[in-house]
Amino acid sequence: MAATPSMEDYLEKIYKLIDEKGYARVSDIAEGLEVHPSSVTKMIQKLDKDNYLIYERYRGLVLTSKGKKMGKRLVDRHHLLESFLKLIGVQEENIYKDVEGIEHHLSWDSITCIEVLVEFFQRNPERVTELMNIRSELESE
């Protein structure tokens, strides 16, 4: 079964916590996602059933290779979209909220196309300048 947007949020948060702290506790996940611990426990059980992680009550959780791969992909997608929005001039204070709003609604094909575009702009910074000049012109009309 494909991961739902909610499952993706949990996998992304779990992956980041394990990467940063070496572990992910229910309380840390609940705090990070602003949900109740009981909701975290239910989702962890679902992710365990779908082989994204192994959960042992009172012992913690470990991501499976499938879970690690998906978690990394989701974190990378988030960073890519942040980079893209910065590149096109979105105001810093809007970036996180905007990424959260769009990341689950884009196909992996669209993500790949954005990745290619970001790579193009990184290799051709003069094009970013042109883009910003056009943006300024449009905003002043």
Side-chain angles (χ1 to χ4, degrees):
M1 182 183 121
T4 64
S6 181
M7 291 167 77
E8 288 182 351
D9 284 340
Y10 278 84
L11 281 169
E12 184 179 354
K13 178 54 70 183
I14 292 166
Y15 182 87
K16 285 170 74 174
L17 284 167
I18 290 173
D19 189 48
E20 292 163 11
K21 299 171 111 178
Y23 59 89
R25 295 185 314 213
V26 168
S27 59
D28 296 327
I29 299 164
E31 183 181 325
L33 294 175
E34 300 177 352
V35 297
H36 290 284
S38 60
S39 300
V40 174
T41 301
K42 284 180 194 161
M43 182 58 80
I44 285 174
Q45 290 167 344
K46 184 170 182 41
L47 292 169
D48 185 354
K49 183 174 158 279
D50 290 348
N51 300 312
Y52 287 104
L53 55 81
I54 298 165
Y55 175 63
E56 292 180 28
R57 202 167 172 180
Y58 308 117
R59 300 231 15 216
L61 56 93
V62 177
L63 287 171
T64 62
S65 59
K66 176 183 175 182
K68 284 179 192 168
K69 183 178 175 184
M70 179 61 97
K72 180 172 179 2
R73 191 175 185 201
L74 296 169
V75 168
D76 290 348
R77 174 182 73 184
H78 192 99
H79 290 300
L80 172 68
L81 292 172
E82 283 181 349
S83 297
F84 175 65
L85 294 180
K86 282 179 191 166
L87 190 70
I88 62 172
V90 173
Q91 293 178 6
E92 192 70 38
E93 64 267 17
N94 295 327
I95 290 176
Y96 182 80
K97 183 175 58 73
D98 288 352
V99 169
E100 288 297 312
I102 63 174
E103 66 185 339
H104 301 298
H105 301 285
L106 294 172
S107 67
W108 287 104
D109 180 49
S110 292
I111 295 296
T112 301
C113 292
I114 290 170
E115 187 173 28
V116 170
L117 185 61
V118 168
E119 180 68 25
F120 172 79
F121 279 126
Q122 288 172 342
R123 290 183 186 186
N124 301 280
E126 69 282 0
R127 296 293 192 184
V128 177
T129 305
E130 288 178 43
L131 179 68
M132 291 304 114
N133 290 339
I134 292 169
R135 181 180 174 184
S136 293
E137 289 172 21
L138 291 173
E139 287 174 346
S140 64
E141 287 179 358

